[in-house]
């Protein structure tokens, strides 16, 4: 129990600081965005589990030889008024911190979900007033907007893809197909759930710089994944031109009123920017995506991808083992 708490604390520090920084600066995620996405999720889950687990195991160390015995003793203290003299100040502090952090993370996750759903509902009501059905197919709406705009609004069976008049006028048929395929990829792969989770992580721990790095990286990776789906049926030249046209409209919208949601957790921005908002960030994101398409790099070898996935499994197994195995051995 004693050594497990310190090992968990070290793992939490490593996953909260140097590992995300190194991954955010790496070049290989653009070669295999799906693999990189799995790694980011493993880092977030293992980091949170290690952070909470370190405090929990340390706090329970005086009342049990293993985690299970410690939890049973703690339950007796809470439910049956058993003596708490075995717990010192720092042990009580650690247990309280673990409970508060767990409650904070869960509450922030649920609160973020509630806010997103409320904003999407309001935005859907706005679209009902301002948008009209598109000839491109069911689930596609058109808004009267001169600038090129494309995004999707998740909502299960009510999910819609929103296009502007300006976009449809600026794009050739093949380019418009690329836009629609890109947006449908966001919806079919449920990218909004990833954005929700990482947005909640950043909201819960805004003081941790790596939460910002993780959210920005995930935003970029989902755009790459959607681009790759569009490339299965459309050419690189077609997709590059579509990205450039939408990015030019995004830059021109700076400081103007726009119907688009301002957050990627509300709607997915599609061929615009991963950030979902107008301005220089959109242009920079589009530029990086165009650069990836203009100078394509080979996908990571299968052996390397397998090694990264094995690393993801190890990241999740290690804190779990440090928490569970002592209880099994006790």
């Amino acid at each position: 129990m004693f050594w497990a708490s310190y090992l968990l604390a070290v793992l939490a520090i490593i996953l909260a600081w140097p590992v995300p920084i190194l991954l955010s600066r790496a070049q290989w995620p653009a070669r295999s965005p799906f693999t990189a996405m799995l790694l980011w999720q493993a880092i977030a889950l293992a980091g949170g589990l290690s952070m909470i687990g370190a405090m929990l195991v340390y706090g329970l160390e005086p009342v049990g030889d293993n985690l299970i015995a410690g939890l049973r003793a703690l339950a007796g203290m809470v439910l049956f008024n058993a003596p708490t003299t075995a717990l010192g100040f720092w042990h009580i502090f650690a247990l309280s911190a673990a409970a508060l952090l767990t409650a904070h993370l869960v509450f922030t996750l649920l609160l973020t979900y509630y806010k997103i759903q409320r904003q999407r509902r309001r935005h859907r009501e706005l679209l009902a007033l301002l948008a009209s059905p598109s000839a491109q197919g069911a689930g596609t709406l058109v808004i009267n907007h001169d600038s090129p705009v494309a995004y999707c609004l998740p909502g299960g069976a009510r999910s819609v893809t929103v296009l502007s008049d300006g976009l449809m006028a600026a794009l050739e048929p093949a380019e418009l197909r690329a836009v629609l395929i890109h947006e449908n990829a966001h919806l079919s792969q449920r990218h909004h759930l990833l954005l929700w989770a990482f947005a909640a992580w950043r909201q819960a721990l805004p003081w941790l710089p790596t939460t910002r790095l993780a959210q920005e990286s995930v935003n970029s990776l989902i755009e790459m994944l959607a681009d790759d789906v569009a490339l299965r049926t459309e050419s690189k030249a077609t997709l590059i031109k579509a990205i450039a046209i939408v990015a030019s409209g995004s830059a021109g919208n700076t400081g103007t009123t726009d119907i688009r949601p301002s957050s990627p957790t509300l709607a997915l921005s599609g061929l615009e920017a991963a950030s979902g908002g107008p301005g220089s960030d959109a242009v920079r994101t589009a530029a990086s995506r165009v650069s990836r398409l203009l100078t394509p790099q080979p996908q990571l070898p299968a052996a390397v991808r397998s090694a990264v996935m094995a690393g993801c499994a190890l990241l999740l197994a290690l804190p779990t083992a440090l928490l569970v195995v002592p209880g099994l051995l006790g």
Side-chain angles (χ1 to χ4, degrees), residues 65-193:
D65 295 331
N66 53 70
L67 182 63
I68 296 176
L71 289 174
R72 287 174 178 170
L74 181 63
M77 295 176 188
V78 174
L79 300 177
F80 306 110
N81 296 321
T84 61
T85 54
L87 294 176
F89 170 80
W90 290 112
H91 299 105
I92 295 176
F93 179 83
L95 290 173
S96 300
L100 288 173
L101 179 58
T102 301
H104 176 61
L105 291 175
V106 173
F107 176 77
T108 304
L109 185 68
L110 296 176
L111 181 62
T112 303
Y113 178 81
Y114 169 76
K115 289 181 177 179
I116 291 171
Q117 292 302 315
R118 183 181 60 183
Q119 292 170 347
R120 284 179 181 159
R121 183 173 60 253
R122 292 177 178 175
H123 191 78
R124 196 171 283 109
E125 293 171 352
L126 184 62
L127 288 174
L129 296 174
L130 301 178
S132 57
S134 170
Q136 300 301 320
T140 305
L141 300 176
V142 179
I143 57 174
N144 184 13
H145 200 293
D146 293 336
S147 297
V149 174
Y151 63 89
C152 58
L153 189 66
R158 298 178 299 167
S159 297
V160 294
T161 296
V162 182
L163 309 173
S164 69
D165 289 334
L167 177 77
M168 299 181 69
L171 298 182
E172 299 294 333
E175 296 157 3
L176 186 56
R177 284 197 305 270
V179 172
L180 293 173
I181 294 171
H182 181 107
E183 301 302 334
N184 288 333
H186 280 316
L187 295 173
S188 63
Q189 296 182 9
R190 301 184 183 277
H191 291 161
H192 56 285
L193 298 180

Side-chain angles (χ1 to χ4, degrees), residues 9-316:
V10 170
L11 182 60
I13 293 172
I14 293 175
L15 294 179
W17 200 269
V19 170
I21 290 176
L22 291 175
L23 183 56
S24 67
R25 295 176 180 175
Q27 299 298 317
W28 69 263
R31 297 172 58 185
S32 295
F34 178 76
T35 305
M37 183 74 75
L38 291 179
L39 183 55
W40 274 114
Q41 293 177 70
I43 290 171
L45 290 172
L49 184 60
S50 299
M51 192 182 308
I52 295 171
M55 294 182 288
L56 181 63
V57 171
Y58 176 79
L60 293 174
E61 191 268 337
V63 295
D65 295 331
N66 53 70
L67 182 63
I68 296 176
L71 289 174
R72 287 174 178 170
L74 181 63
M77 295 176 188
V78 174
L79 300 177
F80 306 110
N81 296 321
T84 61
T85 54
L87 294 176
F89 170 80
W90 290 112
H91 299 105
I92 295 176
F93 179 83
L95 290 173
S96 300
L100 288 173
L101 179 58
T102 301
H104 176 61
L105 291 175
V106 173
F107 176 77
T108 304
L109 185 68
L110 296 176
L111 181 62
T112 303
Y113 178 81
Y114 169 76
K115 289 181 177 179
I116 291 171
Q117 292 302 315
R118 183 181 60 183
Q119 292 170 347
R120 284 179 181 159
R121 183 173 60 253
R122 292 177 178 175
H123 191 78
R124 196 171 283 109
E125 293 171 352
L126 184 62
L127 288 174
L129 296 174
L130 301 178
S132 57
S134 170
Q136 300 301 320
T140 305
L141 300 176
V142 179
I143 57 174
N144 184 13
H145 200 293
D146 293 336
S147 297
V149 174
Y151 63 89
C152 58
L153 189 66
R158 298 178 299 167
S159 297
V160 294
T161 296
V162 182
L163 309 173
S164 69
D165 289 334
L167 177 77
M168 299 181 69
L171 298 182
E172 299 294 333
E175 296 157 3
L176 186 56
R177 284 197 305 270
V179 172
L180 293 173
I181 294 171
H182 181 107
E183 301 302 334
N184 288 333
H186 280 316
L187 295 173
S188 63
Q189 296 182 9
R190 301 184 183 277
H191 291 161
H192 56 285
L193 298 180
L194 290 170
L195 293 175
W196 161 47
F198 281 91
W201 188 28
R202 184 175 181 181
Q203 287 290 323
L205 305 172
W207 46 267
L208 193 62
T210 49
T211 60
R212 175 184 57 82
L213 295 176
Q215 186 182 28
E216 291 175 353
S217 296
V218 168
N219 289 349
S220 179
L221 288 171
I222 66 169
E223 293 300 325
M224 295 179 187
L225 288 170
D227 284 344
D228 290 343
V229 174
L231 286 175
R232 295 175 187 172
T233 55
E234 305 300 330
S235 67
K236 288 183 181 179
T238 296
L239 184 58
I240 289 171
K241 185 177 178 183
I243 293 173
I245 290 175
V246 178
S248 67
S250 176
N253 279 334
T254 304
T256 64
T257 301
D258 196 347
I259 190 176
R260 290 170 300 182
S262 59
S263 169
T265 58
L266 171 54
L268 299 175
S269 58
L271 287 174
E272 194 185 342
S275 62
S280 59
D281 287 345
V283 176
R284 283 195 297 269
T285 303
S288 65
R289 292 166 60 202
V290 169
S291 177
R292 175 177 181 259
L293 295 172
L294 288 174
T295 57
Q297 299 293 321
Q299 189 179 38
L300 288 179
V304 177
R305 297 198 306 273
S306 298
V308 174
M309 291 184 181
C312 294
L314 181 62
L315 278 178
L316 295 175

